[in-house]
Amino acid sequence: FPSHDTVTAFTVIDARDDYDPKRDFIDYWVEDFKGCTTFWEKCDKIVARLDLLDNDLKNFAPALKNLKIESFYIEEPMKRFSPGMSSAETISTLQRFNGIVCYLTREKFGVDVKYVNVSAARKAAGVRVVQTKKDPLGRNAKKQTFDHMLANDLSHVQWPQKKSGLPKDWAYDVTDAYVVSRGGSILNK
């Protein structure tokens, strides 16, 4: 899952060798950090979300019952500045948050979390991204990834929409989480 300032998205896939996204894309969740005023409130929300996932795996969610988490992939955080996009504070906060999420996940599910470079994950999942200025529609990488997945692996997903008819903003984060999961499972076979 990618972890950003306003939301964190999780996806569960069954990464079998004969992968079929319509069958093996199991579920997704979005944890919204609106209203969180501290770093630790965000961490508390992640603890609660991981507890819910663990509970669903053990008890309630029909799609998850009897599934065992064997791998957990997280988007590798930025390592350098992107003009207009990041600061030392942002990169430091993401690194701390990702470290805590990795530890909590390992404690809860007993698996070592693997970091996945988002560009490598996109490539492994079949997504070709060009620079925004070279894209005929001027789309950034996140939008290009969403559009590709909407036409392919995630064509069966019905995304909740805004009043404008566009998908809710977090749908892009779920798509990124899916690509990190799918790409990570391909890269780590």
Side-chain angles (χ1 to χ4, degrees):
F1 65 89
S3 54
H4 300 292
D5 286 343
T6 56
V7 300
T8 290
F10 296 78
T11 58
V12 176
I13 66 170
D14 185 341
R16 59 181 82 186
D17 288 336
D18 65 334
Y19 184 79
D20 175 356
K22 288 182 177 63
R23 176 192 65 210
D24 299 328
F25 176 68
I26 309 291
D27 211 344
Y28 68 84
W29 300 268
V30 177
E31 193 57 52
D32 191 341
F33 297 128
K34 286 180 186 160
C36 291
T37 57
T38 69
F39 175 82
W40 296 109
E41 286 177 0
K42 290 181 180 183
C43 292
D44 290 341
K45 281 193 149 203
I46 293 299
V47 168
R49 175 57 65 189
L50 291 174
D51 286 344
L52 283 171
L53 174 58
D54 188 40
N55 190 45
D56 285 351
L57 287 168
K58 291 176 181 168
N59 300 307
F60 298 110
L64 299 177
K65 194 162 177 109
N66 301 320
L67 281 181
K68 179 179 181 268
I69 296 206
E70 296 175 356
S71 301
F72 204 100
Y73 301 101
I74 188 170
E75 183 179 324
E76 190 174 81
M78 297 178 285
K79 293 181 181 168
R80 60 185 192 301
F81 298 109
S82 299
M85 300 286 287
S86 61
S87 66
E89 182 179 359
T90 300
I91 292 172
S92 173
T93 301
L94 281 171
Q95 293 281 12
R96 285 186 298 140
F97 187 73
N98 282 359
I100 289 169
V101 170
C102 289
Y103 175 76
L104 293 170
T105 302
R106 188 172 188 274
E107 284 294 300
K108 177 64 69 182
F109 299 107
V111 296
D112 291 341
V113 177
K114 297 176 181 98
Y115 280 107
V116 178
N117 176 281
V118 71
S119 296
R122 286 179 181 135
K123 185 175 179 181
V127 180
R128 184 176 173 272
V129 174
V130 297
Q131 292 177 338
T132 302
K133 63 184 176 187
K134 292 183 179 179
D135 182 70
L137 302 174
R139 299 169 300 167
N140 64 20
K142 188 171 254 197
K143 178 74 170 120
Q144 291 176 56
T145 300
F146 180 81
D147 290 347
H148 175 87
M149 286 298 162
L150 188 61
N152 293 284
D153 288 30
L154 303 179
S155 62
H156 63 289
V157 177
Q158 297 297 312
W159 299 105
Q161 297 182 342
K162 302 181 207 177
K163 290 180 183 178
S164 67
L166 294 172
K168 293 199 176 209
D169 292 337
W170 55 257
Y172 300 95
D173 295 298
V174 171
T175 302
D176 277 350
Y178 170 79
V179 169
V180 168
S181 298
R182 181 70 185 124
S185 69
I186 292 167
L187 293 168
N188 286 283
K189 282 194 177 194

